[in-house]
Amino acid sequence: AAEEGTIVVHLVHRRLQRVTEYFLNPFKPEIFGMPILARLNSNCSPAELYNAAWRHVKHLVPDLSTEEGCWPFSLCTVKRDGTACSTCSWRQGCLGCAVQIGELGSAKAASRLDFAVTKSFSIDWDPEVLHSHYKEKIAAHVHVDDSVELAQKERKRPEELLHCLDEMTKEEPVDARRCGHCSKKTGKPTETPHRKQLRLWGCPPVLILQLNRFHSRRGASWKVHTLVNFPLHLDLRGYLAPGPPGESVRPVFRETSGAKADKKEDGPCQNGLRLGQKVVAVGRLSEVLGTGPAVITALHCGPGEDRVEVVLGSGAKHVCRPEQLAEVPEEPCPHAVLGFHTLSRDLPEYDLYAIVNHIGGMGSGHYTAYVKSRGHWLSCNDERVIPISEEDLVSANAYLLLYARQDIALGKVALQDLFPPRVHSGPPADPEAIRRFRGGRRAAPLHSILTHRMFSGDSSSSSGPFGGAGAALAAAGAVPAPAS
């Protein structure tokens, strides 16, 4: 990385060859030799750029004598690959605009380079110098600096999951945007720099972390095989959004655990409703709000018509009359927050219970899984399920990490309580009617095939969203099989 006040430029050796068949330019650039990285002052002149390039290449022409201010090459502004100009349109057929120096004392000689346009330059050698003085044996010898080996070791060093979380939640600068408050104070449009930060409000009962194993850049894609060390016990306490001083929970949502409300009632209310009470809509209001539970957040009672303000599970607010609501028996979780009853601010600790591995490359591969069952870890590979030690869980093949919040892992709260099964109303489907509707077609729907093979124990195929891991997870009891 360039230090403050300096810039790193990219230089490539290039020779131009004339061709008989061409489109826009009769010369074809040929890149050779080892590219050069040079550190320069960010406001250097063209002559300083030439002198820096000459210092890096003069050992390639040791028997060439030159006068001061004369160089056996010209520098041109090019793209990173050195094949075309970085400033001109491709329609012009320009292979690179030459960096002009100008005569000593002229305005051009005192000008400064604009590195905002390009930081890549080509060294276009004089053909006679290349033929008579350029030493290819010297150019073939490349000195490898010690920093290269250190960089390779740094690149191969394992990553830590907590470091990845730190990078994801660190504070980042935001490009300056027009600020209405500052513009109002100054009386003119004002751009103010901002900063942003991603934090967690609550901890879900099941946490699934997906490691970014697949990378794409400039049309090329590849798999990342970096080893990521992850803990069996994960604490997200340091990644939660902070609250006001002296409070552990920021009062954006009100607790539903029966805590007393701060507001006082204005008068007697109908139906015995109270703040924080869980209710459901009845009558025509249920067609608007649905049949899901809501929580009372405000009561407006008085000699006139009573009004009740409720917040739905989605976070939307609604004002209605007391007779449009009915009380439901409350079974609140002590850590639930309004609108997100499965989230917790008080239980940020997790235990690892499953790992999905991807073995292979970008175009193909195989999925396996490690599952914790009854206190023991099992390796699931298609129909093969064998024990595995905790020391062998961390590998470069890990793709998905599944953590269970400690109240779930210890069995204090069941997932069925937090996510009750969805009950479908209506008569069961008639198989004969389905067959008639299909018109005797032999092919079964794809989703039916995948569902059958994933959950029915059919180990003859590895189809499914996770290949063999899907059937193995179902066989190990980590994936609930559908009711027959």
Side-chain angles (χ1 to χ4, degrees):
E3 300 174 357
E4 185 177 358
T6 63
I7 194 169
V8 176
V9 297
H10 177 237
L11 304 171
V12 293
H13 298 277
R14 192 173 73 163
R15 62 168 66 95
L16 300 179
Q17 295 182 342
R18 182 180 289 274
V19 293
T20 57
E21 297 179 0
Y22 59 91
F23 178 46
L24 295 174
N25 197 310
F27 291 95
K28 178 182 178 181
E30 179 186 351
I31 308 300
F32 67 96
M34 184 66 62
I36 300 170
L37 294 178
R39 188 186 301 274
L40 301 173
N41 196 310
S42 57
N43 60 347
C44 73
S45 64
E48 292 172 340
L49 177 61
Y50 271 89
N51 287 329
W54 176 240
R55 286 195 301 269
H56 283 81
V57 302
K58 64 181 180 180
H59 68 284
L60 303 177
V61 286
D63 55 352
L64 178 67
S65 59
T66 59
E67 299 179 1
E68 185 178 356
C70 296
W71 302 276
F73 55 81
S74 61
L75 297 178
C76 298
T77 59
V78 294
K79 296 181 179 180
R80 188 74 176 180
D81 58 2
T83 59
C85 183
S86 60
T87 56
C88 298
S89 171
W90 67 271
R91 298 181 180 88
Q92 301 179 19
C94 181
L95 300 180
C97 294
V99 178
Q100 302 293 338
I101 299 178
E103 298 181 359
L104 184 64
S106 64
K108 184 177 289 294
S111 63
R112 301 299 171 183
L113 292 172
D114 184 11
F115 291 107
V117 178
T118 183
K119 299 182 182 66
S120 298
F121 301 88
S122 66
I123 303 176
D124 293 343
W125 286 90
D126 182 86
E128 181 63 27
V129 172
L130 273 181
H131 182 266
S132 305
H133 302 280
Y134 187 82
K135 306 299 181 182
E136 294 185 358
K137 290 185 177 181
I138 298 179
H141 175 73
V142 179
H143 171 70
V144 181
D145 192 78
D146 295 338
S147 61
V148 176
E149 184 179 357
L150 294 176
Q152 292 177 348
K153 291 181 178 179
E154 184 74 17
R155 192 178 296 112
K156 295 179 180 179
R157 188 185 65 177
E159 287 285 351
E160 299 293 333
L161 179 63
L162 295 180
H163 175 70
C164 297
L165 293 176
D166 292 338
E167 289 295 314
M168 186 182 70
T169 58
K170 71 178 182 180
E171 195 176 62
E172 303 175 65
V174 181
D175 295 339
R177 293 290 187 268
R178 182 180 179 275
C179 178
H181 178 72
C182 297
S183 301
K184 188 175 182 181
K185 290 177 61 177
T186 58
K188 58 181 180 180
T190 304
E191 291 187 350
T192 305
H194 294 77
R195 304 186 70 84
K196 67 176 181 178
Q197 186 177 23
L198 175 65
R199 306 294 285 182
L200 303 178
W201 166 250
C203 300
V206 176
L207 178 68
I208 302 178
L209 300 178
Q210 177 182 349
L211 304 180
N212 187 12
R213 289 292 183 193
F214 305 101
H215 188 69
S216 299
R217 184 181 180 185
R218 296 180 180 178
S221 301
W222 63 90
K223 183 182 177 182
V224 180
H225 296 274
T226 304
L227 176 64
V228 179
N229 292 321
F230 48 88
L232 300 181
H233 178 76
L234 181 63
D235 192 346
L236 297 181
R237 197 183 315 272
Y239 304 99
L240 292 177
E247 295 186 19
S248 60
V249 179
R250 188 167 55 180
V252 176
F253 305 103
R254 188 177 300 278
E255 296 281 346
T256 62
S257 57
K260 294 183 179 180
D262 298 333
K263 298 182 180 180
K264 296 183 180 180
E265 298 183 7
D266 297 332
C269 281
Q270 301 178 12
N271 299 352
L273 300 178
R274 63 185 185 278
L275 289 175
Q277 184 179 5
K278 189 177 294 187
V279 293
V280 293
V282 296
R284 292 185 177 180
L285 185 63
S286 62
E287 301 176 0
V288 179
L289 303 185
T291 57
V295 178
I296 298 177
T297 57
L299 297 172
H300 304 284
C301 309
E305 189 176 25
D306 296 339
R307 291 290 179 181
V308 181
E309 182 179 303
V310 297
V311 173
L312 307 178
S314 62
K317 295 183 178 180
H318 190 81
V319 179
C320 55
R321 297 190 303 273
E323 58 269 19
Q324 295 177 304
L325 303 173
E327 182 180 1
V328 296
E330 291 191 27
E331 296 179 359
C333 296
H335 51 270
V337 291
L338 180 59
F340 304 91
H341 68 283
T342 61
L343 297 183
S344 171
R345 293 273 292 174
D346 304 323
L347 299 174
E349 299 181 12
Y350 288 84
D351 290 331
L352 184 70
Y353 76 90
I355 305 167
V356 176
N357 304 301
H358 179 267
I359 305 170
M362 191 70 188
S364 61
H366 180 64
Y367 286 95
T368 63
Y370 300 151
V371 183
K372 190 175 184 180
S373 177
R374 300 176 182 177
H376 300 282
W377 282 95
L378 303 176
S379 173
C380 307
N381 187 354
D382 288 339
E383 73 279 4
R384 298 181 296 275
V385 179
I386 60 176
I388 186 175
S389 63
E390 290 185 352
E391 290 76 13
D392 298 330
L393 295 178
V394 179
S395 69
N397 295 323
Y399 182 40
L400 296 177
L401 308 177
L402 292 85
Y403 286 88
R405 202 170 56 200
Q406 279 201 339
D407 57 335
I408 303 294
L410 298 177
K412 296 180 179 179
V413 180
L415 282 177
Q416 291 81 356
D417 298 334
L418 296 177
F419 303 100
R422 182 175 298 177
V423 179
H424 298 279
S425 60
D430 183 9
E432 291 295 333
I434 295 178
R435 279 193 287 269
R436 289 194 300 269
F437 177 77
R438 289 172 55 189
R441 289 176 295 179
R442 296 181 179 179
L446 179 60
H447 66 85
S448 299
I449 298 175
L450 295 180
T451 305
H452 170 73
R453 290 180 177 174
M454 184 173 180
F455 294 113
S456 65
D458 181 6
S459 59
S460 61
S461 174
S462 298
S463 301
F466 296 113
L473 286 172
V479 179
S484 58

